[in-house]
């Protein structure tokens, strides 16, 4: 049934979903900077995203080893941008993720990159395989970023006095 749908519809549909998800992430990130953060809030996103790896159980999403390396390398390069723009600040006895003016522009840039890359690559790479590559890219971007955030958070947490109940 799904094989009867032309691949350009998959590209259009997944592009629309990427834009919606990117917008959702921006809103969530803006709201998150108004509340104190903790270890759980830092490590849950990669753990939750890891369930997406189940897509590789299906043949159409499997990615050749060289493309896995390429997607991972690009994701790790992009993670350096996110690491550089993610900072924490202490307010009283709480630690907040500092709102970065550049973050929204970085997310929009990454989203534009993804859409353009998907349009260009969809003519030479199967849509399912491309979805797998973009998941790998996103995961390879998210994990180092969140590890760096967790390390930075723990370092700052050591300097914050304990709350008195």
């Amino acid at each position: 049934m799904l094989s009867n749908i032309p691949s350009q519809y998959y590209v259009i549909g997944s592009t629309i979903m990427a834009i919606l998800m990117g917008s959702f992430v921006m809103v969530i990130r803006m709201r998150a900077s108004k509340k104190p953060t903790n270890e759980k809030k830092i490590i849950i996103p990669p753990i939750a995203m890891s369930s997406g790896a189940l897509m590789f159980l299906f043949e159409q999403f499997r990615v050749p080893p060289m493309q896995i390396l390429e997607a991972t390398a690009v994701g790790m390069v992009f993670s350096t941008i996110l690491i550089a723009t993610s900072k924490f600040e202490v307010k009283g006895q709480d630690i907040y993720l500092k709102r970065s003016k550049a973050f929204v522009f970085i997310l929009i840039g990454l989203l534009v990159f993804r859409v353009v890359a998907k349009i260009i690559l969809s003519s030479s790479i199967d849509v399912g395989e491309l979805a797998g590559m973009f998941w790998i890219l996103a995961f390879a971007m998210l994990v180092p970023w969140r590890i760096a955030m967790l390390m930075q958070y723990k370092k700052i947490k050591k300097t914050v006095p304990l709350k008195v109940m």
Side-chain angles (χ1 to χ4, degrees), residues 7-8 10-11 14 60-61 118 122 125-132:
S7 64
Q8 64 263 29
Y10 288 125
V11 173
S14 63
Q60 69 261 29
F61 295 109
K118 183 179 279 189
S122 66
I125 299 174
D126 181 66
V127 175
E129 198 175 301
L130 198 56

Side-chain angles (χ1 to χ4, degrees), residues 25-58:
V25 167
M26 281 187 259
V27 169
I28 294 289
R29 185 71 192 267
M30 294 301 181
R31 286 184 180 175
S33 65
K34 294 179 182 176
K35 295 179 183 175
T37 194
N38 57 42
E39 284 102 339
K40 192 167 33 169
K41 289 181 182 179
I42 294 170
I43 64 172
I44 284 178
I47 292 170
M49 187 180 173
S50 67
S51 65
L54 292 172
M55 76 168 71
F56 298 114
L57 293 174
F58 300 96

Side-chain angles (χ1 to χ4, degrees), residues 29 33 85-89 96-101:
R29 185 71 192 267
S33 65
T85 59
S86 296
K87 305 290 180 224
F88 292 98
E89 63 184 343
Y96 289 80
L97 188 58
K98 192 185 265 185
R99 193 182 264 188
S100 168
K101 293 178 177 96

Side-chain angles (χ1 to χ4, degrees), residues 91-128:
K91 294 180 183 176
Q93 294 179 324
D94 293 317
I95 302 171
Y96 289 80
L97 188 58
K98 192 185 265 185
R99 193 182 264 188
S100 168
K101 293 178 177 96
F103 186 76
V104 173
F105 297 109
I106 290 167
L107 272 183
I108 291 169
L110 291 171
L111 191 58
V112 168
F113 170 81
R114 180 184 174 168
V115 169
V116 170
K118 183 179 279 189
I119 290 168
I120 292 168
L121 294 173
S122 66
S123 62
S124 60
I125 299 174
D126 181 66
V127 175

